[in-house]
Amino acid sequence: MESNGLDVIAESERKGRAAQLFWPWFGSNVSVLGLSYGSFALGFGIGFWQALAAGIAGIVFSFLLCGCVAVAGKRGSAPTMVLSRAAFGVRGNRLPSAVSWVLTVGWETVLVTLATLATATVFDRLGWGGGTGTKAAALVVVAVLTVLAGVVGFDLIMRMQTAITVVTAVLTAVYIVLAADEIHWETVRALPAGSAQDVIGALVFLMTGFGLGWVNAAADYARYLPRRTPGRAVAGWTTFGASAAPVALLVFGLLLAGSSEKLNAAVAADPIGALTSVLPSWFLVPFALVAVLGLVGGAVLDIYSSGLALLAVGVRVPRPVAAALDGVLMIAGTVCIVFLSQDFLGSFTGFLTTLGVPVAGWCGVMLADVALRSRPYDDADLFAPAGRYGDVRWLPVAVLGGATAVGWGLVTNAAAGWLSWQGYLLGPLGLGGTSGRWATANLGVLATLALGFAVTLATQRGRVRAQEAAASSADADGETTPAPGSTRR
């Protein structure tokens, strides 16, 4: 059981090489859900080559953002949402921590939901029953695996991700071989091209579905590396490990969805279960295994990071308890989606776009803060409101709030009626309003990311220099006070 919570990892516990970051990132993104993103991208009304370009750019760029944030982990050896205190202040950081917590709980709920639905679909095709009882049993199994790993912590997660990577990579390759006959290149090539706005919309959706869904947890695994580890290696292995599988899966997913209108439509209701329609019966059980393991791999990282984010908000419980609490919420959310919701894709799109905006703003501020720093973080001051990082840094908080307001004014969510208030700036800025051609481009995510980065880079250079010039507030023996959520002494 990992005892570390928000506290800085002790020098004696820092170990490994940057290359080891490949395993957790690859294992959490090798899910066959990546195939469904091909259908999601084509849903923007664009052609194959446009979707391919938008997909590769969106995946690689968004995970590069994760790689850059991960550098802060080896510099500070603390969770991402603790290191973010250097930019927002110790208590000012509670706002982005709350957003981060909602995002990670939401993502783990989505992944467990997909695993449950996929299992039910496979059982139904095998004639074993895919009704309420099967869904309930699948939910129990998936939830136990996810919550157990999140509660036990880092070492178990790293071991699980290595095993998940090997098993899912092999079985996914078998799926691709078996489904290859369903690809009809002439049909794919004949897909009509879409507008530039549609391409941008697909790119932004893929960014929020991949890297921007992980940036708020990107440093949580690099924090165990020795501080002498090269920053370029941390960024490189994080980016490579996270994007390698999604790029390959997206390409095949585009070919598969582009070859069949029926499959393309089915993916919207059951993104993973629909993929079983092209498989022989004998491979359905292995497919269920690869689907569930891949989704559990992502959910495990999310529940671990959501527990840390809950502690960063200010909830004073041990880290395992925080992970368990998030597990309860995850199960409740999954029950609502699986047994009550009729429109998974609409809810999913609204969730990604709406939370993607403030997360993009936080990411912009955090990236600029990381870029401005050249020295390790001061361990003790990350937990001291009176220290060099301050209590509440109002300018970064205001930048995040203002950039988010601009971003929400430039995105729309037609598939989720409860978000119809968004897009309020599209009309005043001459972009055609919520029914114009720019409505589906979701420019707000890119605008918020750019605003957060540019304003922070322009205004915080002097403050960062002053922080790094201040004398260290660490104890004479170099140890720091254990943080809330930690049981280490």
Side-chain angles (χ1 to χ4, degrees):
M1 181 81 71
E2 180 188 5
S3 59
N4 289 312
L6 295 186
D7 48 314
V8 176
I9 304 302
E11 186 67 36
S12 60
E13 296 182 59
R14 297 172 199 159
K15 56 190 177 182
R17 298 175 294 111
Q20 291 174 304
L21 292 173
F22 174 86
W23 298 108
W25 286 108
F26 188 91
S28 59
N29 288 284
V30 72
S31 165
V32 291
L33 177 61
L35 294 170
S36 298
Y37 274 94
S39 175
F40 298 158
L42 293 178
F44 282 84
I46 58 181
F48 170 78
W49 293 110
Q50 291 176 316
L52 182 63
I56 293 176
I59 291 170
V60 175
F61 176 68
S62 62
F63 279 124
L64 179 60
L65 300 180
C66 289
C68 294
V69 173
V71 173
K74 72 96 180 180
R75 285 182 182 174
S77 303
T80 312
M81 299 314 298
V82 170
L83 300 171
S84 177
R85 292 173 174 177
F88 292 93
V90 174
R91 287 191 288 186
N93 190 60
R94 290 181 178 179
L95 173 62
S97 294
V99 175
S100 173
W101 176 71
V102 173
L103 179 67
T104 47
V105 171
W107 259 115
E108 67 203 43
T109 302
V110 165
L111 295 175
V112 171
T113 296
L114 289 172
T116 302
L117 293 175
T119 303
T121 301
V122 169
F123 274 54
D124 183 59
R125 278 204 61 194
L126 288 170
W128 297 349
T132 302
T134 301
K135 292 177 181 177
L139 171 57
V140 170
V141 173
V142 173
V144 167
L145 286 172
T146 302
V147 176
L148 176 64
V151 169
V152 174
F154 182 82
D155 286 336
L156 178 60
I157 289 174
M158 294 297 283
R159 292 191 179 109
M160 280 184 64
Q161 295 298 70
T162 302
I164 287 173
T165 296
V166 175
V167 174
T168 53
V170 171
L171 293 179
T172 301
V174 174
Y175 176 91
I176 291 174
V177 172
L178 292 174
D181 289 342
E182 301 294 326
I183 294 175
H184 306 290
W185 174 243
E186 292 301 322
T187 304
V188 174
R189 191 173 63 175
L191 291 172
S195 66
Q197 293 91 333
D198 295 331
V199 175
I200 295 173
L203 182 146
V204 172
F205 178 79
L206 289 163
M207 283 180 59
T208 55
F210 286 100
L212 280 180
W214 288 109
V215 287
N216 55 313
D220 292 355
Y221 306 95
R223 69 182 179 137
Y224 275 88
L225 292 173
R227 292 191 179 179
R228 64 179 181 276
T229 307
R232 289 184 179 180
V234 172
W237 280 107
T238 298
T239 305
F240 175 60
S243 61
V247 167
L249 292 170
L250 176 77
V251 173
F252 191 78
L254 288 171
L255 293 171
L256 203 58
S259 300
S260 170
E261 291 185 8
K262 182 179 179 181
L263 175 63
N264 200 10
V267 167
D270 187 358
I272 292 181
L275 299 173
T276 64
S277 63
V278 300
L279 290 175
S281 297
W282 65 265
F283 191 70
L284 289 177
V285 172
F287 176 82
L289 178 64
V290 67
V292 170
L293 283 179
L295 294 167
V296 167
V300 162
L301 262 66
D302 276 319
I303 197 169
Y304 179 76
S305 294
S306 70
L308 295 175
L310 184 61
L311 298 180
V313 172
V315 177
R316 292 180 174 272
V317 295
R319 185 205 59 79
V321 174
L325 290 173
D326 288 347
V328 172
L329 293 175
M330 174 193 75
I331 294 171
T334 302
V335 169
C336 291
I337 297 175
V338 171
F339 299 103
L340 302 177
S341 176
Q342 300 298 318
D343 181 17
F344 173 81
L345 186 57
S347 302
F348 181 49
T349 303
F351 162 72
L352 283 183
T353 305
T354 300
L355 284 183
V357 169
V359 169
W362 170 87
C363 182
V365 173
M366 184 67 177
L367 287 173
D369 189 77
V370 171
L372 290 171
R373 297 184 186 278
S374 58
R375 300 179 60 187
Y377 296 88
D378 185 280
D379 295 349
D381 280 354
L382 287 171
F383 303 94
R388 72 184 67 199
Y389 303 121
D391 186 8
V392 179
R393 293 289 180 181
W394 290 108
L395 180 57
V397 171
V399 169
L400 176 60
T404 298
V406 171
W408 278 338
L410 294 173
V411 300
T412 59
N413 279 297
W418 59 283
L419 297 172
S420 59
W421 55 271
Q422 295 177 354
Y424 46 80
L425 293 178
L426 292 170
L429 293 179
L431 297 175
T434 56
S435 59
R437 295 186 65 183
W438 285 100
T440 58
N442 288 325
L443 292 174
V445 175
L446 298 176
T448 306
L449 176 66
L451 279 172
F453 182 81
V455 175
T456 302
L457 198 67
T459 62
Q460 300 300 296
R461 188 180 302 274
R463 181 178 66 84
V464 171
R465 286 179 177 174
Q467 288 177 354
E468 295 193 330
S472 174
S473 59
D475 296 336
D477 60 2
E479 293 292 327
T480 58
T481 303
S486 168
T487 57
R488 179 170 66 85
R489 293 292 182 266

